[in-house]
Amino acid sequence: MKSIFFCVVLFLLGLNVQAQTTDFLTGLNDPQDMLLDGNILYVAESDSNRIIKVDLSESNPSPEVVVSGLPVLRGLALNGTELYFSQLNGQNKISKIDLLDPGASPTLVLENFTSAQDLLFYENELYIAQFGTGRIVKIDPSIANPTIIDVVTNINTPIAMEVAGDQLYVATWTDNSIKRIDLTNPSPSATTILSNLSLPVGLNFRGEELFIAEAGQSIGQDRISKINLADVSPTRETVVNGLYNPTKGLETYNNVLYIAENFKISSFELPSLSVDEFSQVDIAVFPNPTSDFITITGIVNPVRYSIYSLSGVLSLDGVITNRDTINLKNMASGTYFLVLNEKKSIKILKI
């Protein structure tokens, strides 16, 4: 009798864990990666050979096809209005499309390039996780036939990347670890900050929290974990489990965590960040110095910004979201301060 009672309790607890997530978008075919640009969520739907988008500010958003006819999609990255994507297994290339031209055909960036599992931009350079070759590389995509530059080699099965400030975090699939790379170091190396995971496949930052999608549990019991990078020795904490085969697709919008699983996108409500946590968020502004635009990354939710001159005169203000750009072309050369939510100040130089 006691064993039956124990099994019932475990079953009910399992139901409770399952109820923590909500089906946000169902009927998908292998969503492999997601990319958040403001309130627009882009999804690489691999088995449907397409990239779709949904507006997260809408209560019941409908997916819209951005581009189709793209087999074996994997990574997504955004630079301004250009959306970059990688393809594997017989395609082996990286391409881009201009989001301002809905009828445009994809433009080839790299061909005959294998194992490009994940993409991201850092200071206008495209970083690529090459899963099968065990390395992180980078290119300048503004140049035709760009040179491939090694960032770190001998890093086993890199599958997902996230950047916070000048630190690149990499999930390594068969090593079951998270590694960190200092991008300011001219000869960077990978340092393990967390091990003993279970097939980490996706990463996402919110403040100093790093969320990790782990796909190595039993069927229907995969999980999202997190660590706090403010801790000297970060410890893994389970956020939610009862998932089915999560992928790289992991994004946060308005304190909701969106999770790509095998045939759907789930959502999970997160507690709000405190004011102190916001002040510690790794915000990156680039290029800095600049002659025209700056891009802001590391913002969790939409924030109000103000730009002041050294004499305290307000030059610009408004609301921005992650990866938004601010036009400084009409401002005089000099030193300014970018202030976010009246809490965090960053010095910028207009040249």
Side-chain angles (χ1 to χ4, degrees):
M1 177 65 74
K2 183 182 292 186
S3 62
I4 294 175
F5 174 78
F6 181 69
C7 290
V8 171
V9 169
L10 286 179
F11 176 74
L12 292 174
L13 286 174
L15 289 179
N16 184 52
V17 170
Q18 291 277 5
Q20 291 178 355
T21 59
T22 301
D23 286 352
F24 171 71
L25 194 61
T26 59
L28 300 181
N29 289 307
D30 194 22
Q32 275 292 322
D33 198 9
M34 298 193 301
L35 174 67
L36 186 63
D37 181 29
N39 54 296
I40 303 299
L41 183 68
Y42 293 91
V43 183
E45 196 179 353
S46 184
D47 285 357
S48 290
N49 304 335
R50 65 182 186 175
I51 298 172
I52 60 174
K53 67 178 182 179
V54 291
D55 188 342
L56 298 182
S57 66
E58 298 180 358
S59 56
N60 294 297
S62 297
E64 177 183 339
V65 177
V66 177
V67 60
S68 58
L70 305 174
V72 209
L73 281 163
R74 280 304 181 268
L76 297 176
L78 187 67
N79 188 30
T81 64
E82 293 182 324
L83 181 64
Y84 289 71
F85 54 89
S86 63
Q87 295 172 263
L88 306 182
N89 299 349
Q91 302 296 315
N92 296 333
K93 59 187 175 182
I94 297 173
S95 308
K96 67 179 181 179
I97 55 170
D98 188 347
L99 295 174
L100 296 182
D101 186 357
S105 299
T107 301
L108 186 66
V109 177
L110 277 181
E111 61 181 338
N112 300 320
F113 189 86
T114 62
S115 294
Q117 275 284 352
D118 202 12
L119 311 173
L120 66 76
F121 273 92
Y122 171 78
E123 295 188 345
N124 294 320
E125 291 182 306
L126 180 64
Y127 284 69
I128 309 164
Q130 275 194 281
F131 182 85
T133 63
R135 63 178 184 165
I136 306 294
V137 302
K138 66 179 181 179
I139 63 170
D140 181 351
S142 67
I143 301 173
N145 301 314
T147 301
I148 299 169
I149 301 172
D150 284 341
V151 178
V152 172
T153 57
N154 298 319
I155 181 169
N156 196 18
T157 57
I159 192 168
M161 302 182 293
E162 277 284 282
V163 69
D166 298 316
Q167 305 298 312
L168 179 66
Y169 293 83
V170 183
T172 58
W173 196 64
T174 55
D175 272 355
N176 291 315
S177 67
I178 305 298
K179 300 185 186 298
R180 180 170 57 207
I181 301 167
D182 183 355
L183 297 179
T184 64
N185 190 328
S187 300
S189 58
T191 302
T192 299
I193 63 167
L194 187 68
S195 56
N196 298 319
L197 296 171
S198 184
L199 296 185
V201 291
L203 300 175
N204 182 247
F205 272 107
R206 190 184 72 141
E208 293 188 333
E209 296 175 326
L210 177 62
F211 291 89
I212 307 161
E214 297 181 71
Q217 304 298 305
S218 58
I219 294 176
Q221 288 301 316
D222 291 325
R223 66 193 180 196
I224 305 297
S225 305
K226 73 173 182 178
I227 57 174
N228 192 322
L229 295 176
D231 297 338
V232 176
S233 299
T235 303
R236 189 198 69 81
E237 174 187 342
T238 298
V239 176
V240 60
N241 56 20
L243 304 176
Y244 180 69
N245 196 25
T247 63
K248 283 189 296 298
L250 202 61
E251 290 287 352
T252 309
Y253 176 77
N254 279 352
N255 297 317
V256 175
L257 185 66
Y258 293 88
I259 307 161
E261 300 182 61
N262 221 35
F263 301 105
K264 65 180 180 179
I265 296 171
S266 303
S267 62
F268 177 73
E269 192 80 26
L270 297 169
S272 299
L273 286 175
S274 67
V275 172
D276 288 342
E277 286 174 307
F278 175 83
S279 67
Q280 297 170 3
V281 169
D282 283 313
I283 304 293
V285 177
F286 62 89
N288 189 14
T290 182
S291 60
D292 43 31
F293 294 91
I294 56 172
T295 300
I296 318 295
T297 64
I299 296 174
V300 177
N301 296 311
V303 300
R304 177 158 292 279
Y305 78 90
S306 304
I307 297 180
Y308 295 92
S309 67
L310 279 176
S311 60
V313 175
L314 178 64
S315 300
L316 287 173
D317 65 353
V319 175
I320 54 174
T321 57
N322 194 40
R323 297 189 180 94
D324 272 358
T325 59
I326 301 175
N327 188 348
L328 308 183
K329 283 186 176 180
N330 296 326
M331 291 169 50
S333 298
T335 300
Y336 296 84
F337 290 94
L338 169 67
V339 181
L340 303 176
N341 269 5
E342 300 182 354
K343 300 181 183 76
K344 190 175 183 69
S345 178
I346 301 168
K347 184 166 70 174
I348 55 177
L349 180 62
K350 170 67 164 49
I351 55 176

